[in-house]
Amino acid sequence: MSKSTHKSIALLAALVLASGGQAGAADISGFLRDASNGESLPYVNVYLKGEKRGFTANESGYYVIVDVKPGKHTLVASLVGYRTFSEEVVVTADDIVNDISLIEQALLFEARVIKNDPEEVDDFDISPGRTTLQPRELKAAPAAIEADPVRTIQTLPGVASLSDFNVGLYVRGGTPDQNLVLLDGTDVYNASHLFGLFSTFPADAAKSTELMRGAYPARYGGRLSSVLNVITDEGNKEEFEATGGVSLLASRLTMQGPVGRGSWLISSRRTHLDPVIAIARKALDAKKFGYNFYDLQGKTHQVLSHTDQWTLAAYTGQDALVYRFDEFDFDLEWGNRTVSSKWTHIFDSNLFGNLLVTGSRFRGATVFDTEDVTLKEVNRLTDISLKTDINYVPDENHTVEAGVNVKRMSMDYQFGESSQIWYDLDVAGYHNSAYVQDNWSVNRLLVLQPGLRFNQFSNGGYTGWSPRLAARYQVGQDTYLKAAVGRYHQYIFRLTREFQGISLLSNVWALADSTAEPSAAIHYVAGVETRWRKFDVDLEGYYKDYSNLYEINYDEQQSTKIGDLLRRGPGRAYGVDLLIRKRSGRQTGWLSVSTGLSERTIDGLKLDESLKPQSFNSKFDRRVSLNLIHSVSFRRRWRLNSRVAYAWGQPYAQVLGRGEITLPSGLRWSFQEKGELNAVRLPSYQRVDLALQRRFKFDTWDMKFNLQVINVTNHKNLFNYFWSEGKADSQTPAKRRKISMFPILPSIGFDFSF
Amino acid sequence: MRPPATHMLFARFIAPFIALFITLWGGCSSPVEIDNPEQILLIQAFLTPGEEVVVNVQKTLPSRLYYEGLEDPVSGAQVIVNTEASTTVLDEDPAVAGIYKASAQALPVIEGETYQLEVTHEDRVVRARTTVPIRSRVTEVVNDTITYFQRYGDIFGELVHPGEFSWIKSPTAAGYVIIVEALDVTSLPVTAEPLTAQFDTLLALRERLEGQVANDSLRVLERQISDLRAYFNTNITLVNDAGDTTRFLRERQQEDWREQEAKESTNNWTEGKLWRERRQDLFGNRVLDFWVPADSTRSDFWWLGVRFEGEYRITLQSVDENYFDYYTTLFNGNSGADSDPGPIFHVDGGTGVFGSYSRDSFRVIARRGD
């Protein structure tokens, strides 16, 4: 071996030793769990008191603080809703495995205000626009009939909804298909029931719901707008537990308990609208009319050893509508199925990894049948993924995350009648990606998060680099300046056929190909977060620059190429979001205020005199919106939740005139002459909701009666205008009618657990 | 350097932002609708060889005044059609406002020829152009006599293609529109509905005035009633030109037709109401049209479009881009989606369709098998 080789090896060894930590220092690591049921707790802040060093636990509840000097230290763990954990730890030269159990804060019975530790660092995660909601917060917002995690998310700043009938998330000028929706790491498409009235996510089994509203890190990709990450419970590892409830709409039941070296969980929900359906059937004079939806989720989580855990989960949910009237039948069904298997392994205290295999399938089918013809439309989107992620903490200043994702996606769409298929699209492709990112504590005040993601999409041969950079700088005791920038790509999209405000029959997904390029966006975010007295305050501005946004091309009737079925063009969105939040104490809640603009310039739409497209307000452009969520407990067993909402109305195109064309066959068809696209707005949206809960305890049963009133003031929020045709026989002109959203809507429900 | 205290940051920065935002928000107003929007010129014309050129000039109607069938014809417009070789000024029909014509001799419509339209009214000018497609000739018809069995409706819903036909492709058509038309059934368009309401008014007036006015006055009223009744009998009927009564192919529909007359007494239908129901039944079932793409050379015809016994004319129209683009998008504009602006109209300065087509046709006989 030559001298130069010796030198190289020595240098390399020195570097490894230097990066591997300080001499005599040790790592403190472990899992954070709920003391009552053994449930792992993600996103817990774990830190060493007085040393400004800590770690935010990952999704599996694992934390590590590396290179801790020998001696006595105070280890603190805090999570909203749990009592702060504090323990003295004596560190020697050996790594310490210290699993922590947190005790849930019984906030209903303890009216004492919790004082925050002034030395606590709130959050070691520097992602801007990131909001995490715990189960209690997910149910804080009064809901129409049932608590819904996504409906609660819609009250956060920067998140708009089209109407009371739509759970789609329009995040900072993005459409719902631009959100990466993950259920325990598995992609979910079209996560809604009852034509968008409810989401598919079970409020009872959701352990944590995290929304990143923009400039999200390199760990995530494939969508332009945001990430909604829902983590469900693993199951009670200590004892059998059941929770459930009955509302006017549905019944639900979640059971869980210990099995093997871990737990199991089954959660289900099903409608029981049959009496209401029977009344509707008679009113419609239908031979048959039925609607139902169900969700069924199962999971088992096994702690094989300290270093290995395994989870197997599956979900199925479906909506079905059937309507039979005289000579025609109408059947509509859609639903998701997912299955996932996850193995987590601790290679070393500072090296943690996941291997996740997932499968997800969305299917929508519409059948229209008369005695002479049967029309059928079916769309399936299937996604099979293999994901690996590793977390590596080489020293106290760096947390490196890296991973690879291999995903096979296929979409098939068929439309035709019983003996002849008119459209048949069958596309498959691979979306492969790899990423690396580092949480780098440059000094005691500045943290940077550079990241890089590489995408490769086989359909069309597309590749793209997505650099990301986030920064956080501490300017005060609890005050941080934040900024982030990132590039994003999207290779699949939903062909929206949304009626103004609802998502009926808009379930068709397509993949990018040689005729339809992927969409892209650049996000710029900057803001400040601070704590003022008991309130967390987050003020953030954003700018998003989109390219290759798609709208469905209603004019194209013949082509089977995806590119021909779409109109495309650039867009942008910018605005300011404010979130003021109180998360502990007898009164909790948040105030969210948003002002923002979303506009697009799409080929063929809003053409000027030289036939060039001009920019127009997106339909989901809510220039100003405000949500106030408030929850207060009183007299030990009572809780009052309330919501006040305000938003500018949706933009629309005014109908300026009507006309008719008579064809050579003699048939006549009317048309509407419309004004400038989305140049006027519906009246503003205003709503006040109240929910009163009374808790009872009977033996081992915890019960809760809920009385909710949606739209207490019965304000008529406009959903849409439509023009009637008038009556030719009496020469009665057309009238513009208003369709309103939810009127005052009381509902009752009963929840239980034992 | 000591970082500023948190509360100072809030007081100096965030609180004023909230105050400013609330002030601006309260003062902002959202855009309002246009009152009394201007109506635009609407032109319609479908040129075809062998027929006179008819251009219908109207204005669109304000939505609050519109009802189905109502038109706002434009009189006194200057309507000119240019070809390479000629310029023709169309004359307004003295009997029907808004209709401008040129005879087939004055302005022959020829396959392959391009026609440019210019309509001037007051200070508005509308322009459009069309090139008449080359005709496609029907070359083969499979099953020119088709028999419908009642059990098809109950069991064999899939038996939907009793026949098919083929043609030679047109080299210049943008697409095809196929019309399936029952020749033994007559009905009226929606513009006749006010007449049925007027009929009821006359009947009510007749009943009220009986015994109150002189018989001569009543006879005038009765003549109006009988004229209208005769008009409806002639134009809303299952009786063909030869005097034979045809039937619905489906017994269920025939039963519904028979029951309609009884509804005058059982459902308190007026006679005008009865004529309206019959008009809609026959008009809606008499004609079916659909399109096929330009590269097609064959089509099925379905039971869906064949509702009556008797003779059917199936017409293959080779249509131009103006006609085809409008036809394939005529249902657009009702979804409310951003990308759904409405039907495609290739008209400058106004709206409407200035289209053309050439055609071929054949006959099919539909029979009831049981």
Side-chain angles (χ1 to χ4, degrees), chain B residues 48-113:
Chain B
T48 190
E51 295 194 6
E52 63 181 347
V53 172
V54 179
V55 177
N56 185 336
V57 182
Q58 303 174 30
K59 279 191 287 188
T60 57
L61 282 154
S63 301
R64 57 185 165 75
L65 297 180
Y66 168 80
Y67 58 82
E68 199 184 357
L70 182 65
E71 297 177 350
D72 186 6
V74 171
S75 271
Q78 182 185 66
V79 179
I80 298 173
V81 176
N82 292 311
T83 66
E84 266 192 27
S86 67
T87 296
T88 308
V89 178
L90 275 63
D91 297 321
E92 187 170 3
D93 188 329
V96 186
I99 299 295
Y100 299 80
K101 295 182 180 178
S103 67
Q105 290 73 37
L107 181 59
V109 177
I110 302 168
E111 292 176 20
E113 187 86 50

Side-chain angles (χ1 to χ4, degrees), chain A residues 166-180:
Chain A
N166 191 318
V167 287
L169 298 177
Y170 295 82
V171 182
R172 290 180 172 175
T175 49
D177 65 320
Q178 293 174 355
N179 304 320
L180 178 63

Side-chain angles (χ1 to χ4, degrees), chain A residues 433-491:
Chain A
S433 54
Y435 75 92
V436 61
Q437 68 185 46
D438 180 22
N439 255 39
W440 173 26
S441 296
V442 178
N443 55 44
R444 291 176 70 82
L445 298 178
L446 176 65
V447 179
L448 294 180
Q449 188 186 65
L452 186 64
R453 189 176 184 92
F454 174 75
N455 293 290
Q456 185 251 341
F457 193 72
S458 63
N459 218 28
Y462 296 106
T463 58
W465 291 95
S466 300
R468 317 268 171 94
L469 177 65
R472 191 170 82 161
Y473 184 73
Q474 185 171 5
V475 294
Q477 176 67 42
D478 297 304
T479 303
Y480 303 86
L481 297 178
K482 307 178 292 187
V485 63
R487 183 167 172 80
Y488 302 85
H489 294 90
Q490 183 159 337
Y491 301 91

Side-chain angles (χ1 to χ4, degrees), chain B residues 11 20 27 47 112 123 193 212 218 225 234 237 311 346:
Chain B
L20 176 65
L47 278 53
D123 57 349
E193 295 234 332
Q212 311 242 345
L218 275 182
I225 291 169
T234 305
T237 178
E311 193 172 18
H346 293 295

Side-chain angles (χ1 to χ4, degrees), chain B residues 22-336:
Chain B
I22 291 172
T23 305
L24 287 175
W25 162 43
C28 281
S29 59
S30 53
V32 294
E33 291 191 336
I34 303 169
D35 286 331
N36 299 318
E38 187 183 5
Q39 302 311 306
I40 61 175
L41 285 178
L42 161 62
I43 59 115
Q44 300 177 62
F46 295 91
L47 278 53
T48 190
E51 295 194 6
E52 63 181 347
V53 172
V54 179
V55 177
N56 185 336
V57 182
Q58 303 174 30
K59 279 191 287 188
T60 57
L61 282 154
S63 301
R64 57 185 165 75
L65 297 180
Y66 168 80
Y67 58 82
E68 199 184 357
L70 182 65
E71 297 177 350
D72 186 6
V74 171
S75 271
Q78 182 185 66
V79 179
I80 298 173
V81 176
N82 292 311
T83 66
E84 266 192 27
S86 67
T87 296
T88 308
V89 178
L90 275 63
D91 297 321
E92 187 170 3
D93 188 329
V96 186
I99 299 295
Y100 299 80
K101 295 182 180 178
S103 67
Q105 290 73 37
L107 181 59
V109 177
I110 302 168
E111 292 176 20
E113 187 86 50
T114 298
Y115 297 81
Q116 299 188 60
L117 173 72
E118 184 177 290
V119 176
T120 307
H121 182 253
E122 294 174 353
D123 57 349
R124 289 183 282 194
V125 181
V126 173
R127 293 187 177 90
R129 60 185 288 149
T130 181
T131 301
V132 182
I134 306 298
R135 187 175 81 119
S136 292
R137 191 169 57 80
V138 175
T139 53
E140 184 188 10
V141 177
V142 176
N143 289 344
D144 56 5
T145 300
I146 55 179
T147 305
Y148 185 88
F149 293 91
Q150 296 307 312
R151 61 179 180 268
Y152 289 167
D154 298 329
I155 302 172
F156 295 112
E158 273 65 43
L159 198 65
V160 295
H161 305 139
E164 61 180 90
F165 64 103
S166 313
W167 60 86
I168 296 172
K169 192 175 134 174
S170 163
T172 58
Y176 303 96
V177 173
I178 296 166
I179 302 173
V180 180
E181 188 181 3
L183 297 178
D184 292 337
V185 173
T186 310
S187 188
L188 294 167
V190 68
T191 45
E193 295 234 332
L195 284 178
T196 64
Q198 185 186 346
F199 186 69
D200 280 336
T201 304
L202 290 172
L203 288 174
L205 185 62
R206 166 77 178 78
E207 194 176 320
R208 201 168 67 244
L209 292 180
E210 179 138 30
Q212 311 242 345
V213 300
N215 285 341
D216 285 345
S217 301
L218 275 182
R219 268 197 284 276
V220 170
L221 200 53
E222 282 164 359
R223 198 174 311 123
Q224 287 179 318
I225 291 169
S226 69
D227 284 349
L228 266 179
R229 187 176 285 131
Y231 176 71
F232 294 146
N233 271 316
T234 305
N235 292 289
I236 305 174
T237 178
L238 281 172
V239 178
N240 63 19
D241 291 342
D244 302 317
T245 302
T246 189
R247 294 181 295 172
F248 283 85
L249 277 182
R250 293 157 186 78
E251 182 55 30
R252 179 183 53 74
Q253 284 186 300
Q254 187 66 29
E255 187 64 33
D256 288 344
W257 180 264
R258 280 194 291 267
E259 286 174 3
Q260 275 177 350
E261 276 201 20
K263 286 187 180 177
E264 272 191 270
S265 52
T266 57
N267 286 36
N268 291 324
W269 278 16
T270 62
E271 191 179 339
K273 165 80 173 166
L274 173 65
W275 285 116
R276 267 196 299 286
E277 292 293 320
R278 290 200 151 168
R279 185 207 72 78
Q280 285 172 9
D281 268 349
L282 296 187
F283 191 81
N285 289 305
R286 200 185 73 83
V287 175
L288 173 78
D289 55 11
F290 58 96
W291 63 269
V292 292
D295 56 359
S296 304
T297 54
R298 64 165 295 282
S299 175
D300 298 312
F301 48 89
W302 301 281
W303 285 121
L304 184 66
V306 182
R307 293 274 156 183
F308 304 97
E309 285 183 305
E311 193 172 18
Y312 273 80
R313 179 172 57 213
I314 299 182
T315 303
L316 172 71
Q317 293 181 333
S318 307
V319 306
D320 78 320
E321 181 190 41
N322 298 346
Y323 184 169
F324 194 67
D325 281 353
Y326 166 71
Y327 188 88
T328 54
T329 60
L330 61 85
F331 292 125
N332 288 5
N334 298 307
S335 71

Side-chain angles (χ1 to χ4, degrees), chain A residues 17 21-26 67 69-70:
Chain A
L17 283 172
Q22 301 172 28
D67 297 342
K69 292 179 190 165

Side-chain angles (χ1 to χ4, degrees), chain A residues 371-372 417 419 475 479 530-531 552 558 593 619 646 652 654 658 660 662 665 668 674 678 729 734 736, chain B residues 3 6 9 21 25 33-34 44 61 64 66 68-69 71 160-161 197 250 289 293 332-333 336 338-339:
Chain A
E371 59 185 1
D372 298 313
E417 49 102 5
S419 60
V475 294
T479 303
T530 187
R531 178 170 289 161
I552 193 167
Q558 303 180 56
V593 181
K619 191 163 292 301
Y646 170 86
Y652 68 98
Q654 181 186 355
R658 303 289 297 270
E660 289 184 10
T662 304
S665 62
R668 293 170 72 103
K674 290 187 181 171
N678 291 346
D729 56 329
R736 188 168 79 166
Chain B
T6 305
L9 191 70
F21 172 79
W25 162 43
E33 291 191 336
I34 303 169
Q44 300 177 62
L61 282 154
R64 57 185 165 75
Y66 168 80
E68 199 184 357
E71 297 177 350
V160 295
H161 305 139
R250 293 157 186 78
D289 55 11
N332 288 5
D338 286 349
S339 60

